[in-house]
């Protein structure tokens, strides 16, 4: 039963005897009197402890033999569902908050103990009351998924929704999104909605909003200030710029990568400073106009997912690459070594790919710098075989760009892959 999940034996009897369950806020006495919420336990834990979460966000195991008194206070799961309404201010601009799920739209489910994408966009708005002082926030849920579950079909759905808002009254749109694949979504929106007349800002959170170290609120506030105070054109990713709560970085959607698994400043602009920094009420601009390609709004919403990203390494089996060709992949992006190389054991299958008109692009697995395949003989050989160097384009961004081109103008993929569409490479 979820109301006693993970509890059995003495611990289960203890909860039932005291008429409390998982999700209940309790007041208990050990050496001191404290208030906390009962959490679930792992199925294979012992039966001598209960787990509680304090308001600080930290979980603690309590030996039931040390608990002198326990009293029910409230049901936390019900408290979370209360609808907090925020009044609109006619003097402020309007921003639309679209929720797709992820940690930023998640809280602890006090009945199961898991972090779930159950927080609606309206609740997210209400949970950060500072937003109401910056703009009038409308909220809508597109879907609720962890970002590792988001598919290219859902990129299309997000893009079509945003395209429908191009002539709306909103000053900009915030897209709440999980961090694991946020750079992929940002890249697709950058290409498919190139020149969109309003700022689109993807916002995530490394830590859920019930945790004391959560970055959700600051990232949302920073994104809203960025839209209202600078009103740039383009697709951006807004996240912490340091482990402290001082700055939010707004990265160009085609120059950003998640470079850390858990740090709050996990996202970085590759090879440069973030395009903008939000510091309190000040917006610091680091980019120049040369970063932007075509500023006219020419939406091209489409993709073909038959693109593979191949990270070459010593011992890579060419048969794996050949299987991609035989399975109908239309473009393959190499993440090569150094300046853009793969071993000679790949040459025969590369030639086969070109005969079958598969686009082959080369990026580097190095964290910074650009591909230059003309320096060494092996690089020149690969170019002779038809491998196209992709400058300093990030490999994941090149993957998304190839998908987008195949879905919108496949016959011109070689020309468009090396044409700057949305600041995906530097001159």
């Amino acid at each position: 039963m979820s109301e006693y999940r993970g509890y059995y034996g003495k611990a289960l009897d203890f909860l039932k005897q005291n008429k409390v369950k998982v999700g209940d806020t309790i007041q208990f006495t050990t050496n001191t009197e404290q208030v906390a919420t009962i959490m679930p336990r792992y199925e294979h834990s012992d039966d001598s402890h209960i787990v509680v979460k304090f308001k600080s966000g930290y979980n603690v195991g309590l030996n039931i033999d040390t608990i002198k008194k326990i009293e029910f206070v409230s049901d936390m799961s019900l408290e979370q569902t209360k609808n907090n309404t925020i009044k609109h201010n006619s003097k402020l601009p309007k921003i639309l908050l679209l929720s797709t799920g992820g940690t930023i739209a998640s809280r602890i489910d006090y009945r199961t103990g898991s972090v779930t994408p159950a927080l609606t966009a309206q609740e997210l708005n209400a949970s950060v009351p500072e937003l109401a002082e910056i703009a009038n926030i409308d909220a809508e849920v597109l879907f609720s998924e962890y970002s590792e579950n988001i598919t290219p079909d859902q990129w299309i759905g997000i893009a079509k929704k945003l395209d429908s808002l191009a002539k709306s009254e909103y000053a900009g749109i915030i897209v709440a999104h999980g961090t694991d694949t946020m750079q992929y979504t940002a890249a697709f929106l950058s290409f498919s909605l190139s020149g969109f007349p309003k700022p689109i800002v993807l916002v995530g959170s490394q830590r859920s909003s019930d945790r004391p170290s959560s970055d959700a609120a600051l990232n949302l506030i920073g994104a809203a200030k960025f839209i209202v105070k600078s009103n740039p054109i383009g697709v951006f990713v807004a996240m912490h710029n340091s482990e402290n709560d001082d700055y939010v970085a707004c990265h160009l959607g085609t120059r950003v990568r998640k470079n850390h698994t858990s740090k709050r400043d996990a996202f970085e602009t590759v090879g440069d400073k973030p395009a903008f920094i939000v510091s309190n009420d000040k917006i610091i601009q680091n980019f120049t106009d040369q970063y932007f390609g075509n500023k006219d709004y020419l939406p091209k919403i489409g993709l073909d997912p038959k693109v593979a990203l191949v990270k070459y390494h010593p011992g890579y089996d060419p048969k794996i690459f050949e299987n991609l060709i035989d399975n109908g992949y239309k473009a393959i992006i190499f993440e090569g070594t150094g300046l853009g190389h793969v071993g000679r054991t790949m040459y025969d299958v590369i030639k086969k790919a070109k005969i079958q008109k598969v686009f082959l692009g080369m990026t580097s697995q190095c964290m910074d710098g650009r591909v230059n395949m003309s320096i060494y003989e092996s690089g020149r050989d690969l170019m002779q075989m038809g491998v196209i160097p992709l400058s300093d384009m990030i490999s994941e961004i090149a993957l998304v760009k190839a998908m987008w081109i195949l879905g919108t103008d496949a016959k011109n993929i070689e020309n468009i892959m090396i044409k700057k569409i949305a600041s995906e490479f530097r001159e």
Side-chain angles (χ1 to χ4, degrees), residues 91-387:
K91 297 180 180 180
L92 296 177
K94 291 182 68 176
I95 293 175
L96 179 62
L97 172 60
L98 294 176
S99 179
T100 66
T103 301
I104 192 167
S106 299
R107 283 186 179 176
I108 291 288
D109 183 335
Y110 287 88
R111 292 164 294 178
T112 66
S114 60
V115 178
T116 58
L119 190 65
T120 67
Q122 186 61 48
E123 289 170 332
L124 194 60
N125 179 20
S127 69
V128 187
E130 294 91 341
L131 291 174
E133 300 174 4
I134 302 167
N136 295 312
I137 309 293
D138 290 339
E140 182 179 338
V141 177
L142 282 181
F143 49 84
S144 187
E145 287 283 4
Y146 290 132
S147 68
E148 64 267 26
N149 297 324
I150 292 178
T151 67
D153 284 343
Q154 287 166 311
W155 296 345
I156 293 283
I158 298 171
K160 287 182 176 179
K161 176 63 179 180
L162 292 170
D163 180 51
S164 73
L165 299 167
K167 296 181 180 179
S168 69
E169 60 184 333
Y170 293 112
I173 299 99
I174 295 174
V175 181
H177 194 290
T179 61
D180 278 5
T181 64
M182 186 156 60
Q183 67 211 52
Y184 293 88
T185 302
F188 179 74
L189 297 177
S190 298
F191 295 127
S192 62
L193 304 178
S194 178
F196 191 81
K198 305 172 188 292
I200 298 169
V201 186
L202 282 76
V203 180
S205 175
Q206 288 286 82
R207 299 167 192 176
S208 56
S209 56
D210 72 310
R211 293 178 61 183
S213 59
S214 175
D215 51 333
L218 185 69
N219 293 342
L220 278 170
I221 293 167
K225 288 181 177 179
F226 173 58
I227 289 172
V228 170
K229 294 181 178 294
S230 60
N231 194 34
I233 291 175
V235 178
F236 301 86
V237 169
M239 294 288 290
H240 262 53
N241 193 49
S242 71
E243 278 287 83
N244 298 321
D245 290 339
D246 300 327
Y247 307 102
V248 170
C250 297
H251 309 274
L252 290 170
T254 56
R255 294 301 307 168
V256 64
R257 171 182 266 160
K258 184 177 181 179
N259 281 338
H260 197 281
T261 57
S262 57
K263 287 171 60 176
R264 296 192 296 176
D265 55 337
F267 282 79
E268 298 176 345
T269 291
V270 175
D272 215 334
K273 296 178 181 179
F276 294 87
I277 298 289
V278 181
S279 174
N280 295 319
D281 291 329
K282 184 180 179 182
I283 309 294
I284 302 168
Q285 180 175 324
N286 293 318
F287 79 97
T288 61
D289 286 340
Q290 67 181 4
Y291 273 93
F292 287 92
N294 191 347
K295 291 188 179 181
D296 296 328
Y297 183 44
L298 301 171
K300 292 183 179 180
I301 302 174
L303 62 79
D304 185 335
K306 297 294 281 187
V307 183
L309 178 59
V310 172
K311 187 182 185 79
Y312 177 77
H313 57 81
Y316 184 89
D317 187 348
K319 290 181 180 179
I320 300 173
F321 186 88
E322 191 168 22
N323 285 336
L324 295 172
I325 303 168
D326 293 341
N327 280 289
Y329 278 75
K330 302 170 185 176
I332 297 172
I333 305 299
F334 282 114
E335 197 175 274
T337 60
L339 291 166
H341 306 128
V342 299
R344 66 171 67 92
T345 57
M346 298 292 294
Y347 287 6
D348 287 343
V349 288
I350 287 173
K351 292 173 183 177
K352 177 179 177 179
K354 290 309 297 182
I355 290 171
Q356 297 192 21
K357 301 187 184 305
V358 177
F359 173 82
L360 300 175
M362 180 65 73
T363 65
S364 177
Q365 55 196 244
C366 296
M367 294 301 293
D368 201 356
R370 68 182 64 244
V371 165
N372 189 340
M373 298 171 66
S374 63
I375 292 180
Y376 295 106
E377 182 179 356
S378 56
R380 295 193 294 270
D381 288 343
L382 290 168
M383 286 194 293
Q384 185 66 31
M385 295 175 207
V387 179

